[in-house]
């Protein structure tokens, strides 16, 4: 899923994971970085928090919930 160029909400990502389990797919690849977009917040690198195309980002908590 190219979430760096096309932001997908955590709720939609969870639905995708549920659908994947029904179809017996077991790998979700999230493309979280691009040359001009980085929607994953990393506390140790604060400049990434404003580096997404849409100004929407995934927090550490979002990723933990998804995992």
């Amino acid at each position: 899923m190219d979430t760096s160029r096309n932001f997908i909400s955590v709720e939609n990502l969870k639905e995708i994971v549920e659908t994947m389990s029904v179809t017996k797919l077991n790998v979700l690849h999230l493309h979280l970085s691009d040359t001009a977009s980085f929607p994953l917040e990393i506390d140790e690198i604060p400049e990434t928090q404003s580096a997404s195309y849409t100004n929407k980002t995934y927090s550490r908590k979002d990723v933990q919930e998804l995992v």
Side-chain angles (χ1 to χ4, degrees):
M1 310 283 329
D2 186 357
T3 57
S4 67
R5 288 180 240 175
N6 302 300
F7 186 84
I8 301 171
S9 70
V10 175
E11 292 77 26
N12 284 343
L13 287 171
K14 287 179 181 180
E15 288 179 22
I16 290 167
V17 169
E18 287 296 320
T19 303
M20 288 175 61
S21 70
V22 170
T23 58
K24 302 197 186 265
L25 298 173
N26 62 4
V27 176
L28 175 65
H29 176 92
L30 294 178
H31 179 81
L32 290 169
S33 64
D34 194 86
T35 302
S37 180
F38 197 88
L40 178 63
E41 294 178 4
I42 300 175
D43 296 335
E44 292 80 9
I45 310 171
E47 57 269 16
T48 63
Q49 293 182 2
S50 61
S52 71
Y53 285 143
T54 62
N55 293 330
K56 296 179 183 176
T57 59
Y58 299 105
S59 68
R60 182 175 289 191
K61 181 181 175 193
D62 291 336
V63 176
Q64 287 174 339
E65 284 181 18
L66 187 59
V67 171

